[in-house]
Amino acid sequence: EAGVTQFPSHSVIEKGQTVTLRCDPISGHDNLYWYRRVMGKEIKFLLHFVKESKQDESGMPNNRFLAERTGGTYSTLKVQPAELEDSGVYFCASSHGLAGGSYEQYFGPGTRLTVT
Amino acid sequence: RKEVEQDPGPFNVPEGATVAFNCTYSNSASQSFFWYRQDCRKEPKLLMSVYSSGNEDGRFTAQLNRASQYISLLIRDSKLSDSATYLCVVNVSPGNQGGKLIFGQGTELSVKP
């Protein structure tokens, strides 16, 4: 079974530019999550999709961040315009819905974003 | 105060040693608990879920004390391959909906020959 995949693995952009990160969850997982780790800090929750709906977006830092999950499959996270403090590693994770039993979250390899 | 606090580490131990990691959490309504391991510049990988009755998986034993809001992980007979950062993780979403995970800052373990 393929794991969670993320694209790109690395992205270097200038302040003010736009970047879009993509996440493909494990097939059949209804739940998709975005997390972020900035340097020197712990991993922090950004938001949670159940299928195509946002279940919890309490961790989104501000309105420069837009997450979508059209059709309930893959998700994108757009940062526009990027600021220096957005640099970090963005992880995506997925888990089964309750009907599937397990709520354990499995993480993708992350996208390392550097804003210069 | 951080929502999930761990020993700062690093822990440097010889092969074969037993090592224990401790973790406390502040949200008494937390629903589920996990230990993840993270290798350098990699994603967190689920090591084990932690249950109230305690659970064991080979050389790894996890314990949960809800009254004290305390979680532990014990590694016996440590191997070189156990070297990693160990993350204590708590799910604070209500109703077991598998949502928001809160991560500790991690404890680095280095197992030496």
Side-chain angles (χ1 to χ4, degrees):
Chain A
E1 180 185 86
V4 177
T5 58
Q6 293 187 243
F7 182 84
S9 57
H10 293 83
S11 181
V12 181
I13 61 172
E14 292 182 355
K15 176 181 170 180
Q17 290 187 319
T18 297
V19 63
T20 301
L21 314 181
R22 173 172 168 143
C23 169
D24 286 78
I26 293 171
S27 178
H29 280 192
D30 288 338
N31 294 283
L32 186 150
Y33 314 84
W34 285 97
Y35 292 85
R36 176 174 74 169
R37 183 171 211 161
V38 298
M39 189 178 295
K41 303 282 190 179
E42 61 271 22
I43 296 170
K44 285 198 181 294
F45 169 86
L46 296 179
L47 87 160
H48 169 201
F49 283 101
V50 178
K51 298 185 180 179
E52 67 275 9
S53 300
K54 291 176 184 171
Q55 175 80 9
D56 181 353
E57 52 184 327
S58 61
M60 293 288 264
N62 51 60
N63 59 9
R64 295 186 293 102
F65 289 75
L66 174 64
E68 294 181 319
R69 192 182 182 196
T70 307
T73 54
Y74 71 91
S75 174
T76 58
L77 179 65
K78 180 191 286 189
V79 185
Q80 178 182 32
E83 299 288 345
L84 298 178
E85 64 264 25
D86 301 333
S87 296
V89 182
Y90 289 77
F91 291 107
C92 177
S94 71
S95 71
H96 279 297
L98 279 181
S102 171
Y103 47 83
E104 294 166 345
Q105 296 184 26
Y106 298 90
F107 282 74
T111 293
R112 187 171 297 275
L113 174 65
T114 303
V115 183
T116 62
Chain B
R1 183 186 170 189
K2 291 182 186 294
E3 291 187 74
V4 177
E5 296 214 55
Q6 298 184 239
D7 291 336
F11 286 15
N12 297 301
V13 303
E15 270 187 291
T18 295
V19 60
F21 300 122
N22 302 311
C23 170
T24 57
Y25 60 95
S26 61
N27 187 338
S28 60
S30 299
Q31 295 290 324
S32 49
F33 311 87
F34 309 92
W35 284 100
Y36 280 75
R37 69 169 279 168
Q38 187 173 26
D39 294 282
C40 187
R41 299 177 80 85
K42 299 285 189 181
E43 72 272 22
K45 288 190 189 296
L46 180 64
L47 182 64
M48 57 199 304
S49 301
V50 188
Y51 305 114
S52 296
S53 54
N55 47 301
E56 187 174 308
D57 182 2
R59 298 181 293 109
F60 299 83
T61 301
Q63 297 277 353
L64 168 65
N65 183 323
R66 283 188 184 270
S68 303
Q69 297 179 200
Y70 169 87
I71 308 162
S72 66
L73 176 69
L74 187 75
I75 305 177
R76 290 180 299 279
D77 188 22
S78 52
K79 313 289 185 193
L80 296 177
S81 58
D82 293 334
S83 297
T85 296
Y86 288 82
L87 302 167
C88 177
V89 184
V90 173
N91 183 342
V92 299
S93 296
N96 223 19
Q97 292 169 24
K100 183 175 182 178
L101 296 184
I102 304 296
F103 284 77
Q105 72 268 39
T107 303
E108 185 181 341
L109 172 65
S110 180
V111 182
K112 306 290 189 186

